[in-house]
Amino acid sequence: GLKCPGLHSFSPDKPGGILMMDLKEENPRALELRISRGFNLASFNPHGISTFIDRDDTVYLFVVNHPEFKNTVEIFKFEEEENSLLHLKTIKHELLPSVNDIIAVGPAHFYATNDHYFSDPFLKYLETYLNLHWANVVYYSPNEVKVVAEGFDAANGINISPDKKYIYVADILAHEIHVLEKHPNMNLTQLKVLKLDTLVDNLSIDPSSGDILVGCHPNGQKLFIYDPNNPPSSEVLRIQNILSEKPTVTTVYANNGSVLQGSSVASVYDRKLLIGTLYHRALYCEL
């Protein structure tokens, strides 16, 4: 339920929510999770999302939130018996002015992308217009917060390789995926850039193969100038062997907007594919 200035919304008055699907079920259904009291649900405006499972099997859920178009990261604990989320803390920081996506690497530790350097809407517009390449990636922990990669047009989706050695960042306006090596001090250095001919939004990892699944926008203009008679199309790519000299890029799903509008993320588990969108519905597919 992301609300964003200049972005279409099918339910502008309904606050965002967190839904869960169990893909092990024969006919999985989306279930909205209850969120603990004391958390401001009325202004909940969720964006990027990530989970971290601790050694004691505690599941932490990290959510990028834009209450009243500000920027916070919320940390919840997932309580499986009650299908609910216990809110633990809200994180705000000057190095997190325009957070888009997040990948958790500890119970209160994460990498986050800033899709703009500024938080002010006019300065964001100016930054894009002037093509400043000031977007970045920030590492956050309770002890240290620092910029670990910069120079992006608009850093968007972020994820981590199964062996935890590499961080992947989608630069949506540059049509690129950056592969960054992660060091023991949590700094990142760039290894390679994969150019694609579409706007790359969010990245997810196939847990069985390590392949990257990318939710993409073949035509970005249609996202922002919404026309129900000519809606934004959808595209999902699979990237195999991204570290090799010639990664394999295949189209998993494509639609002109007649079924699914504005695909922004795709997640796969055991030959089941879930595709999410910027403001439309989600699509469940069996591969």
Side-chain angles (χ1 to χ4, degrees), residues 96-144:
L96 300 169
S98 186
V99 192
N100 188 300
D101 196 19
I102 190 168
I103 180 70
V105 291
H109 312 67
F110 58 84
Y111 289 99
T113 55
N114 285 302
D115 51 26
H116 290 80
Y117 179 82
F118 297 107
S119 53
D120 177 82
F122 175 72
L123 292 176
K124 280 185 179 184
Y125 169 78
L126 207 60
E127 182 184 337
T128 304
Y129 181 75
L130 296 173
N131 201 16
L132 292 179
H133 304 274
W134 284 3
N136 59 26
V137 176
V138 168
Y139 170 70
Y140 178 95
S141 76
N143 305 322
E144 182 181 34

mmCIF file of all heavy atoms in Angstrom, residues 96-144:
data_model
loop_
_atom_site.group_PDB
_atom_site.id
_atom_site.type_symbol
_atom_site.label_atom_id
_atom_site.label_comp_id
_atom_site.label_asym_id
_atom_site.label_seq_id
_atom_site.Cartn_x
_atom_site.Cartn_y
_atom_site.Cartn_z
ATOM 1 N N LEU A 96 19.877 8.481 6.097
ATOM 2 C CA LEU A 96 18.772 7.740 5.485
ATOM 3 C C LEU A 96 17.676 8.727 5.062
ATOM 4 O O LEU A 96 16.564 8.693 5.577
ATOM 5 C CB LEU A 96 18.216 6.695 6.468
ATOM 6 C CG LEU A 96 19.205 5.624 6.944
ATOM 7 C CD1 LEU A 96 18.618 4.814 8.097
ATOM 8 C CD2 LEU A 96 19.613 4.710 5.783
ATOM 9 N N PRO A 97 17.983 9.629 4.099
ATOM 10 C CA PRO A 97 17.031 10.696 3.754
ATOM 11 C C PRO A 97 15.944 10.276 2.778
ATOM 12 O O PRO A 97 14.902 10.925 2.696
ATOM 13 C CB PRO A 97 17.931 11.756 3.105
ATOM 14 C CG PRO A 97 19.024 10.965 2.455
ATOM 15 C CD PRO A 97 19.261 9.770 3.362
ATOM 16 N N SER A 98 16.174 9.202 2.009
ATOM 17 C CA SER A 98 15.217 8.824 0.962
ATOM 18 C C SER A 98 15.318 7.324 0.729
ATOM 19 O O SER A 98 15.708 6.850 -0.328
ATOM 20 C CB SER A 98 15.513 9.603 -0.330
ATOM 21 O OG SER A 98 14.513 9.357 -1.289
ATOM 22 N N VAL A 99 14.953 6.560 1.770
ATOM 23 C CA VAL A 99 15.194 5.115 1.750
ATOM 24 C C VAL A 99 14.211 4.423 0.804
ATOM 25 O O VAL A 99 13.019 4.724 0.806
ATOM 26 C CB VAL A 99 15.068 4.502 3.159
ATOM 27 C CG1 VAL A 99 15.609 3.081 3.172
ATOM 28 C CG2 VAL A 99 15.808 5.330 4.180
ATOM 29 N N ASN A 100 14.742 3.495 0.029
ATOM 30 C CA ASN A 100 13.911 2.746 -0.902
ATOM 31 C C ASN A 100 13.788 1.288 -0.476
ATOM 32 O O ASN A 100 12.709 0.789 -0.254
ATOM 33 C CB ASN A 100 14.505 2.861 -2.313
ATOM 34 C CG ASN A 100 13.618 2.270 -3.375
ATOM 35 O OD1 ASN A 100 13.298 1.086 -3.355
ATOM 36 N ND2 ASN A 100 13.197 3.091 -4.321
ATOM 37 N N ASP A 101 14.927 0.606 -0.349
ATOM 38 C CA ASP A 101 14.887 -0.817 -0.027
ATOM 39 C C ASP A 101 15.959 -1.136 0.995
ATOM 40 O O ASP A 101 16.839 -0.306 1.284
ATOM 41 C CB ASP A 101 15.079 -1.647 -1.306
ATOM 42 C CG ASP A 101 14.678 -3.105 -1.128
ATOM 43 O OD1 ASP A 101 13.928 -3.414 -0.175
ATOM 44 O OD2 ASP A 101 15.095 -3.950 -1.949
ATOM 45 N N ILE A 102 15.907 -2.363 1.508
ATOM 46 C CA ILE A 102 16.704 -2.719 2.668
ATOM 47 C C ILE A 102 17.032 -4.208 2.615
ATOM 48 O O ILE A 102 16.247 -4.990 2.102
ATOM 49 C CB ILE A 102 15.864 -2.368 3.929
ATOM 50 C CG1 ILE A 102 16.666 -2.462 5.200
ATOM 51 C CG2 ILE A 102 14.615 -3.203 4.024
ATOM 52 C CD1 ILE A 102 15.927 -1.835 6.371
ATOM 53 N N ILE A 103 18.225 -4.566 3.094
ATOM 54 C CA ILE A 103 18.539 -5.986 3.279
ATOM 55 C C ILE A 103 19.128 -6.143 4.689
ATOM 56 O O ILE A 103 20.133 -5.518 5.023
ATOM 57 C CB ILE A 103 19.481 -6.552 2.182
ATOM 58 C CG1 ILE A 103 19.777 -8.035 2.418
ATOM 59 C CG2 ILE A 103 20.764 -5.759 2.036
ATOM 60 C CD1 ILE A 103 18.612 -8.950 2.197
ATOM 61 N N ALA A 104 18.453 -6.930 5.505
ATOM 62 C CA ALA A 104 18.880 -7.121 6.894
ATOM 63 C C ALA A 104 20.055 -8.091 6.950
ATOM 64 O O ALA A 104 20.061 -9.111 6.264
ATOM 65 C CB ALA A 104 17.718 -7.664 7.712
ATOM 66 N N VAL A 105 21.066 -7.747 7.772
ATOM 67 C CA VAL A 105 22.232 -8.626 7.938
ATOM 68 C C VAL A 105 22.498 -8.926 9.415
ATOM 69 O O VAL A 105 23.515 -9.500 9.767
ATOM 70 C CB VAL A 105 23.498 -8.023 7.265
ATOM 71 C CG1 VAL A 105 23.348 -8.029 5.751
ATOM 72 C CG2 VAL A 105 23.784 -6.608 7.762
ATOM 73 N N GLY A 106 21.576 -8.541 10.288
ATOM 74 C CA GLY A 106 21.678 -8.787 11.720
ATOM 75 C C GLY A 106 20.378 -8.361 12.372
ATOM 76 O O GLY A 106 19.503 -7.793 11.712
ATOM 77 N N PRO A 107 20.219 -8.581 13.696
ATOM 78 C CA PRO A 107 18.950 -8.251 14.363
ATOM 79 C C PRO A 107 18.647 -6.752 14.396
ATOM 80 O O PRO A 107 17.488 -6.366 14.556
ATOM 81 C CB PRO A 107 19.117 -8.824 15.774
ATOM 82 C CG PRO A 107 20.586 -9.038 15.937
ATOM 83 C CD PRO A 107 21.164 -9.265 14.595
ATOM 84 N N ALA A 108 19.666 -5.902 14.238
ATOM 85 C CA ALA A 108 19.425 -4.452 14.121
ATOM 86 C C ALA A 108 20.423 -3.859 13.133
ATOM 87 O O ALA A 108 20.847 -2.713 13.266
ATOM 88 C CB ALA A 108 19.552 -3.781 15.488
ATOM 89 N N HIS A 109 20.812 -4.650 12.136
ATOM 90 C CA HIS A 109 21.880 -4.289 11.197
ATOM 91 C C HIS A 109 21.364 -4.474 9.774
ATOM 92 O O HIS A 109 20.757 -5.505 9.466
ATOM 93 C CB HIS A 109 23.105 -5.190 11.399
ATOM 94 C CG HIS A 109 23.540 -5.328 12.829
ATOM 95 N ND1 HIS A 109 22.774 -5.971 13.782
ATOM 96 C CD2 HIS A 109 24.665 -4.915 13.463
ATOM 97 C CE1 HIS A 109 23.410 -5.932 14.955
ATOM 98 N NE2 HIS A 109 24.547 -5.301 14.783
ATOM 99 N N PHE A 110 21.632 -3.510 8.914
ATOM 100 C CA PHE A 110 21.127 -3.632 7.544
ATOM 101 C C PHE A 110 21.901 -2.729 6.589
ATOM 102 O O PHE A 110 22.585 -1.790 7.002
ATOM 103 C CB PHE A 110 19.628 -3.274 7.482
ATOM 104 C CG PHE A 110 19.277 -1.894 7.979
ATOM 105 C CD1 PHE A 110 19.379 -0.775 7.155
ATOM 106 C CD2 PHE A 110 18.818 -1.701 9.286
ATOM 107 C CE1 PHE A 110 19.056 0.498 7.605
ATOM 108 C CE2 PHE A 110 18.491 -0.429 9.750
ATOM 109 C CZ PHE A 110 18.605 0.665 8.904
ATOM 110 N N TYR A 111 21.784 -3.063 5.306
ATOM 111 C CA TYR A 111 22.157 -2.156 4.228
ATOM 112 C C TYR A 111 20.863 -1.572 3.672
ATOM 113 O O TYR A 111 19.863 -2.295 3.531
ATOM 114 C CB TYR A 111 22.879 -2.893 3.098
ATOM 115 C CG TYR A 111 24.276 -3.361 3.429
ATOM 116 C CD1 TYR A 111 24.511 -4.678 3.801
ATOM 117 C CD2 TYR A 111 25.370 -2.495 3.353
ATOM 118 C CE1 TYR A 111 25.790 -5.127 4.098
ATOM 119 C CE2 TYR A 111 26.651 -2.926 3.640
ATOM 120 C CZ TYR A 111 26.854 -4.238 4.017
ATOM 121 O OH TYR A 111 28.132 -4.680 4.307
ATOM 122 N N ALA A 112 20.881 -0.280 3.330
ATOM 123 C CA ALA A 112 19.702 0.368 2.756
ATOM 124 C C ALA A 112 20.112 1.194 1.553
ATOM 125 O O ALA A 112 21.218 1.743 1.506
ATOM 126 C CB ALA A 112 19.028 1.261 3.794
ATOM 127 N N THR A 113 19.213 1.284 0.570
ATOM 128 C CA THR A 113 19.455 2.152 -0.582
ATOM 129 C C THR A 113 18.710 3.470 -0.380
ATOM 130 O O THR A 113 17.569 3.486 0.080
ATOM 131 C CB THR A 113 18.959 1.507 -1.890
ATOM 132 O OG1 THR A 113 17.574 1.144 -1.754
ATOM 133 C CG2 THR A 113 19.774 0.286 -2.245
ATOM 134 N N ASN A 114 19.367 4.567 -0.720
ATOM 135 C CA ASN A 114 18.709 5.866 -0.856
ATOM 136 C C ASN A 114 18.537 6.123 -2.351
ATOM 137 O O ASN A 114 19.528 6.170 -3.087
ATOM 138 C CB ASN A 114 19.563 6.983 -0.241
ATOM 139 C CG ASN A 114 19.514 6.979 1.273
ATOM 140 O OD1 ASN A 114 18.445 7.094 1.869
ATOM 141 N ND2 ASN A 114 20.673 6.851 1.918
ATOM 142 N N ASP A 115 17.277 6.274 -2.803
ATOM 143 C CA ASP A 115 17.077 6.514 -4.237
ATOM 144 C C ASP A 115 17.331 7.972 -4.621
ATOM 145 O O ASP A 115 17.419 8.311 -5.800
ATOM 146 C CB ASP A 115 15.698 6.042 -4.706
ATOM 147 C CG ASP A 115 14.561 6.580 -3.854
ATOM 148 O OD1 ASP A 115 14.719 7.646 -3.242
ATOM 149 O OD2 ASP A 115 13.502 5.923 -3.806
ATOM 150 N N HIS A 116 17.426 8.844 -3.601
ATOM 151 C CA HIS A 116 17.838 10.237 -3.815
ATOM 152 C C HIS A 116 18.760 10.644 -2.669
ATOM 153 O O HIS A 116 18.730 10.040 -1.597
ATOM 154 C CB HIS A 116 16.639 11.187 -3.834
ATOM 155 C CG HIS A 116 15.768 11.049 -5.046
ATOM 156 N ND1 HIS A 116 14.832 10.048 -5.161
ATOM 157 C CD2 HIS A 116 15.702 11.778 -6.192
ATOM 158 C CE1 HIS A 116 14.217 10.160 -6.327
ATOM 159 N NE2 HIS A 116 14.722 11.204 -6.974
ATOM 160 N N TYR A 117 19.525 11.688 -2.895
ATOM 161 C CA TYR A 117 20.399 12.235 -1.855
ATOM 162 C C TYR A 117 19.585 13.121 -0.910
ATOM 163 O O TYR A 117 19.851 13.189 0.283
ATOM 164 C CB TYR A 117 21.508 13.053 -2.531
ATOM 165 C CG TYR A 117 22.480 13.707 -1.573
ATOM 166 C CD1 TYR A 117 23.536 12.973 -1.029
ATOM 167 C CD2 TYR A 117 22.347 15.051 -1.237
ATOM 168 C CE1 TYR A 117 24.433 13.567 -0.164
ATOM 169 C CE2 TYR A 117 23.247 15.660 -0.364
ATOM 170 C CZ TYR A 117 24.289 14.912 0.169
ATOM 171 O OH TYR A 117 25.178 15.504 1.031
ATOM 172 N N PHE A 118 18.578 13.809 -1.476
ATOM 173 C CA PHE A 118 17.765 14.749 -0.697
ATOM 174 C C PHE A 118 16.463 14.099 -0.247
ATOM 175 O O PHE A 118 16.003 13.124 -0.835
ATOM 176 C CB PHE A 118 17.435 15.991 -1.542
ATOM 177 C CG PHE A 118 18.637 16.798 -1.950
ATOM 178 C CD1 PHE A 118 19.086 16.787 -3.269
ATOM 179 C CD2 PHE A 118 19.334 17.562 -1.023
ATOM 180 C CE1 PHE A 118 20.193 17.522 -3.655
ATOM 181 C CE2 PHE A 118 20.441 18.305 -1.395
ATOM 182 C CZ PHE A 118 20.869 18.281 -2.719
ATOM 183 N N SER A 119 15.856 14.680 0.787
ATOM 184 C CA SER A 119 14.532 14.225 1.217
ATOM 185 C C SER A 119 13.437 15.189 0.749
ATOM 186 O O SER A 119 12.284 14.791 0.606
ATOM 187 C CB SER A 119 14.478 14.073 2.747
ATOM 188 O OG SER A 119 14.894 15.263 3.372
ATOM 189 N N ASP A 120 13.787 16.441 0.481
ATOM 190 C CA ASP A 120 12.816 17.440 0.020
ATOM 191 C C ASP A 120 12.350 17.114 -1.405
ATOM 192 O O ASP A 120 13.178 16.883 -2.294
ATOM 193 C CB ASP A 120 13.471 18.828 0.047
ATOM 194 C CG ASP A 120 12.546 19.909 -0.498
ATOM 195 O OD1 ASP A 120 11.692 20.376 0.264
ATOM 196 O OD2 ASP A 120 12.669 20.249 -1.697
ATOM 197 N N PRO A 121 11.013 17.072 -1.655
ATOM 198 C CA PRO A 121 10.504 16.677 -2.987
ATOM 199 C C PRO A 121 11.038 17.534 -4.133
ATOM 200 O O PRO A 121 11.375 16.996 -5.199
ATOM 201 C CB PRO A 121 8.986 16.845 -2.845
ATOM 202 C CG PRO A 121 8.720 16.740 -1.384
ATOM 203 C CD PRO A 121 9.930 17.291 -0.700
ATOM 204 N N PHE A 122 11.144 18.851 -3.937
ATOM 205 C CA PHE A 122 11.633 19.707 -5.022
ATOM 206 C C PHE A 122 13.108 19.421 -5.311
ATOM 207 O O PHE A 122 13.528 19.325 -6.466
ATOM 208 C CB PHE A 122 11.443 21.190 -4.693
ATOM 209 C CG PHE A 122 12.043 22.094 -5.736
ATOM 210 C CD1 PHE A 122 11.455 22.230 -6.992
ATOM 211 C CD2 PHE A 122 13.224 22.793 -5.476
ATOM 212 C CE1 PHE A 122 12.028 23.050 -7.959
ATOM 213 C CE2 PHE A 122 13.798 23.608 -6.446
ATOM 214 C CZ PHE A 122 13.187 23.739 -7.683
ATOM 215 N N LEU A 123 13.907 19.271 -4.238
ATOM 216 C CA LEU A 123 15.334 18.984 -4.435
ATOM 217 C C LEU A 123 15.538 17.597 -5.063
ATOM 218 O O LEU A 123 16.452 17.403 -5.864
ATOM 219 C CB LEU A 123 16.085 19.085 -3.101
ATOM 220 C CG LEU A 123 16.184 20.496 -2.500
ATOM 221 C CD1 LEU A 123 16.865 20.451 -1.153
ATOM 222 C CD2 LEU A 123 16.936 21.432 -3.445
ATOM 223 N N LYS A 124 14.654 16.644 -4.721
ATOM 224 C CA LYS A 124 14.703 15.325 -5.367
ATOM 225 C C LYS A 124 14.489 15.461 -6.867
ATOM 226 O O LYS A 124 15.199 14.845 -7.677
ATOM 227 C CB LYS A 124 13.606 14.419 -4.795
ATOM 228 C CG LYS A 124 13.925 13.775 -3.464
ATOM 229 C CD LYS A 124 12.806 12.821 -3.098
ATOM 230 C CE LYS A 124 13.106 12.143 -1.781
ATOM 231 N NZ LYS A 124 12.101 11.144 -1.425
ATOM 232 N N TYR A 125 13.477 16.252 -7.229
ATOM 233 C CA TYR A 125 13.175 16.458 -8.651
ATOM 234 C C TYR A 125 14.374 17.086 -9.367
ATOM 235 O O TYR A 125 14.777 16.660 -10.446
ATOM 236 C CB TYR A 125 11.940 17.353 -8.789
ATOM 237 C CG TYR A 125 11.706 17.837 -10.201
ATOM 238 C CD1 TYR A 125 11.141 16.992 -11.161
ATOM 239 C CD2 TYR A 125 12.079 19.121 -10.582
ATOM 240 C CE1 TYR A 125 10.956 17.420 -12.462
ATOM 241 C CE2 TYR A 125 11.896 19.567 -11.882
ATOM 242 C CZ TYR A 125 11.329 18.710 -12.823
ATOM 243 O OH TYR A 125 11.159 19.140 -14.100
ATOM 244 N N LEU A 126 14.963 18.091 -8.709
ATOM 245 C CA LEU A 126 16.114 18.797 -9.286
ATOM 246 C C LEU A 126 17.302 17.838 -9.459
ATOM 247 O O LEU A 126 17.995 17.850 -10.483
ATOM 248 C CB LEU A 126 16.497 19.959 -8.363
ATOM 249 C CG LEU A 126 17.195 21.158 -8.993
ATOM 250 C CD1 LEU A 126 16.318 21.788 -10.065
ATOM 251 C CD2 LEU A 126 17.546 22.190 -7.927
ATOM 252 N N GLU A 127 17.488 17.003 -8.444
ATOM 253 C CA GLU A 127 18.585 16.023 -8.459
ATOM 254 C C GLU A 127 18.455 15.076 -9.657
ATOM 255 O O GLU A 127 19.430 14.793 -10.365
ATOM 256 C CB GLU A 127 18.513 15.227 -7.151
ATOM 257 C CG GLU A 127 19.577 14.194 -6.948
ATOM 258 C CD GLU A 127 19.339 13.399 -5.673
ATOM 259 O OE1 GLU A 127 18.638 13.896 -4.756
ATOM 260 O OE2 GLU A 127 19.853 12.280 -5.605
ATOM 261 N N THR A 128 17.222 14.601 -9.898
ATOM 262 C CA THR A 128 16.981 13.714 -11.047
ATOM 263 C C THR A 128 17.158 14.479 -12.358
ATOM 264 O O THR A 128 17.793 13.999 -13.303
ATOM 265 C CB THR A 128 15.560 13.115 -10.961
ATOM 266 O OG1 THR A 128 15.424 12.445 -9.702
ATOM 267 C CG2 THR A 128 15.305 12.118 -12.085
ATOM 268 N N TYR A 129 16.587 15.695 -12.388
ATOM 269 C CA TYR A 129 16.633 16.517 -13.606
ATOM 270 C C TYR A 129 18.081 16.825 -14.005
ATOM 271 O O TYR A 129 18.450 16.788 -15.172
ATOM 272 C CB TYR A 129 15.840 17.805 -13.379
ATOM 273 C CG TYR A 129 15.795 18.728 -14.575
ATOM 274 C CD1 TYR A 129 14.985 18.430 -15.677
ATOM 275 C CD2 TYR A 129 16.563 19.891 -14.610
ATOM 276 C CE1 TYR A 129 14.944 19.267 -16.780
ATOM 277 C CE2 TYR A 129 16.537 20.738 -15.706
ATOM 278 C CZ TYR A 129 15.727 20.418 -16.788
ATOM 279 O OH TYR A 129 15.691 21.247 -17.875
ATOM 280 N N LEU A 130 18.918 17.115 -12.994
ATOM 281 C CA LEU A 130 20.320 17.467 -13.254
ATOM 282 C C LEU A 130 21.229 16.237 -13.381
ATOM 283 O O LEU A 130 22.428 16.371 -13.613
ATOM 284 C CB LEU A 130 20.858 18.383 -12.146
ATOM 285 C CG LEU A 130 20.189 19.762 -12.029
ATOM 286 C CD1 LEU A 130 20.693 20.498 -10.799
ATOM 287 C CD2 LEU A 130 20.434 20.596 -13.284
ATOM 288 N N ASN A 131 20.631 15.041 -13.162
ATOM 289 C CA ASN A 131 21.372 13.784 -13.322
ATOM 290 C C ASN A 131 22.644 13.759 -12.465
ATOM 291 O O ASN A 131 23.746 13.521 -12.947
ATOM 292 C CB ASN A 131 21.711 13.596 -14.810
ATOM 293 C CG ASN A 131 22.003 12.150 -15.150
ATOM 294 O OD1 ASN A 131 21.674 11.255 -14.367
ATOM 295 N ND2 ASN A 131 22.616 11.911 -16.286
ATOM 296 N N LEU A 132 22.452 13.992 -11.160
ATOM 297 C CA LEU A 132 23.601 14.200 -10.269
ATOM 298 C C LEU A 132 24.314 12.912 -9.823
ATOM 299 O O LEU A 132 25.427 12.975 -9.330
ATOM 300 C CB LEU A 132 23.146 14.978 -9.021
ATOM 301 C CG LEU A 132 22.720 16.435 -9.251
ATOM 302 C CD1 LEU A 132 22.277 17.083 -7.951
ATOM 303 C CD2 LEU A 132 23.849 17.242 -9.883
ATOM 304 N N HIS A 133 23.667 11.759 -9.932
ATOM 305 C CA HIS A 133 24.280 10.477 -9.493
ATOM 306 C C HIS A 133 24.700 10.543 -8.016
ATOM 307 O O HIS A 133 25.790 10.103 -7.670
ATOM 308 C CB HIS A 133 25.522 10.128 -10.335
ATOM 309 C CG HIS A 133 25.273 10.058 -11.804
ATOM 310 N ND1 HIS A 133 24.828 8.923 -12.448
ATOM 311 C CD2 HIS A 133 25.386 10.993 -12.769
ATOM 312 C CE1 HIS A 133 24.705 9.157 -13.734
ATOM 313 N NE2 HIS A 133 25.025 10.407 -13.962
ATOM 314 N N TRP A 134 23.849 11.072 -7.166
ATOM 315 C CA TRP A 134 24.194 11.199 -5.746
ATOM 316 C C TRP A 134 23.531 10.133 -4.869
ATOM 317 O O TRP A 134 23.701 10.156 -3.648
ATOM 318 C CB TRP A 134 23.799 12.592 -5.236
ATOM 319 C CG TRP A 134 24.750 13.676 -5.671
ATOM 320 C CD1 TRP A 134 25.832 13.563 -6.478
ATOM 321 C CD2 TRP A 134 24.689 15.067 -5.303
ATOM 322 N NE1 TRP A 134 26.448 14.775 -6.645
ATOM 323 C CE2 TRP A 134 25.770 15.725 -5.935
ATOM 324 C CE3 TRP A 134 23.827 15.823 -4.511
ATOM 325 C CZ2 TRP A 134 26.015 17.084 -5.799
ATOM 326 C CZ3 TRP A 134 24.061 17.187 -4.375
ATOM 327 C CH2 TRP A 134 25.149 17.808 -5.008
ATOM 328 N N ALA A 135 22.749 9.233 -5.462
ATOM 329 C CA ALA A 135 22.111 8.179 -4.666
ATOM 330 C C ALA A 135 23.178 7.217 -4.135
ATOM 331 O O ALA A 135 24.249 7.072 -4.735
ATOM 332 C CB ALA A 135 21.093 7.433 -5.516
ATOM 333 N N ASN A 136 22.874 6.560 -3.004
ATOM 334 C CA ASN A 136 23.914 5.754 -2.361
ATOM 335 C C ASN A 136 23.347 4.553 -1.614
ATOM 336 O O ASN A 136 22.139 4.335 -1.553
ATOM 337 C CB ASN A 136 24.749 6.638 -1.420
ATOM 338 C CG ASN A 136 23.907 7.295 -0.323
ATOM 339 O OD1 ASN A 136 22.863 6.788 0.067
ATOM 340 N ND2 ASN A 136 24.369 8.433 0.171
ATOM 341 N N VAL A 137 24.278 3.780 -1.039
ATOM 342 C CA VAL A 137 23.943 2.654 -0.165
ATOM 343 C C VAL A 137 24.575 2.930 1.193
ATOM 344 O O VAL A 137 25.737 3.341 1.274
ATOM 345 C CB VAL A 137 24.473 1.316 -0.723
ATOM 346 C CG1 VAL A 137 24.192 0.170 0.241
ATOM 347 C CG2 VAL A 137 23.858 1.025 -2.092
ATOM 348 N N VAL A 138 23.790 2.714 2.238
ATOM 349 C CA VAL A 138 24.241 2.998 3.613
ATOM 350 C C VAL A 138 24.222 1.704 4.417
ATOM 351 O O VAL A 138 23.309 0.878 4.261
ATOM 352 C CB VAL A 138 23.317 4.060 4.261
ATOM 353 C CG1 VAL A 138 23.555 4.172 5.763
ATOM 354 C CG2 VAL A 138 23.525 5.414 3.589
ATOM 355 N N TYR A 139 25.240 1.523 5.257
ATOM 356 C CA TYR A 139 25.228 0.417 6.219
ATOM 357 C C TYR A 139 24.828 0.992 7.567
ATOM 358 O O TYR A 139 25.378 2.013 8.016
ATOM 359 C CB TYR A 139 26.600 -0.247 6.327
ATOM 360 C CG TYR A 139 26.683 -1.230 7.477
ATOM 361 C CD1 TYR A 139 25.983 -2.433 7.431
ATOM 362 C CD2 TYR A 139 27.426 -0.948 8.624
ATOM 363 C CE1 TYR A 139 26.024 -3.329 8.488
ATOM 364 C CE2 TYR A 139 27.477 -1.843 9.683
ATOM 365 C CZ TYR A 139 26.776 -3.027 9.613
ATOM 366 O OH TYR A 139 26.806 -3.905 10.663
ATOM 367 N N TYR A 140 23.870 0.344 8.222
ATOM 368 C CA TYR A 140 23.419 0.804 9.538
ATOM 369 C C TYR A 140 23.609 -0.298 10.571
ATOM 370 O O TYR A 140 23.249 -1.460 10.337
ATOM 371 C CB TYR A 140 21.923 1.181 9.501
ATOM 372 C CG TYR A 140 21.405 1.627 10.853
ATOM 373 C CD1 TYR A 140 21.356 2.982 11.188
ATOM 374 C CD2 TYR A 140 21.022 0.699 11.822
ATOM 375 C CE1 TYR A 140 20.925 3.394 12.441
ATOM 376 C CE2 TYR A 140 20.599 1.096 13.083
ATOM 377 C CZ TYR A 140 20.550 2.447 13.384
ATOM 378 O OH TYR A 140 20.133 2.857 14.636
ATOM 379 N N SER A 141 24.201 0.049 11.702
ATOM 380 C CA SER A 141 24.206 -0.828 12.876
ATOM 381 C C SER A 141 24.047 0.075 14.099
ATOM 382 O O SER A 141 24.230 1.292 14.001
ATOM 383 C CB SER A 141 25.517 -1.617 12.966
ATOM 384 O OG SER A 141 26.563 -0.775 13.419
ATOM 385 N N PRO A 142 23.713 -0.478 15.260
ATOM 386 C CA PRO A 142 23.583 0.372 16.446
ATOM 387 C C PRO A 142 24.873 1.124 16.787
ATOM 388 O O PRO A 142 24.834 2.170 17.444
ATOM 389 C CB PRO A 142 23.215 -0.631 17.551
ATOM 390 C CG PRO A 142 22.559 -1.773 16.830
ATOM 391 C CD PRO A 142 23.294 -1.877 15.521
ATOM 392 N N ASN A 143 26.024 0.623 16.335
ATOM 393 C CA ASN A 143 27.312 1.241 16.680
ATOM 394 C C ASN A 143 27.881 2.131 15.587
ATOM 395 O O ASN A 143 28.738 2.973 15.866
ATOM 396 C CB ASN A 143 28.351 0.148 16.989
ATOM 397 C CG ASN A 143 27.878 -0.794 18.074
ATOM 398 O OD1 ASN A 143 27.232 -0.352 19.031
ATOM 399 N ND2 ASN A 143 28.152 -2.073 17.933
ATOM 400 N N GLU A 144 27.439 1.920 14.344
ATOM 401 C CA GLU A 144 28.080 2.624 13.229
ATOM 402 C C GLU A 144 27.098 2.772 12.084
ATOM 403 O O GLU A 144 26.377 1.832 11.738
ATOM 404 C CB GLU A 144 29.295 1.801 12.759
ATOM 405 C CG GLU A 144 30.081 2.437 11.637
ATOM 406 C CD GLU A 144 31.263 1.574 11.193
ATOM 407 O OE1 GLU A 144 31.157 0.328 11.234
ATOM 408 O OE2 GLU A 144 32.277 2.164 10.794
#
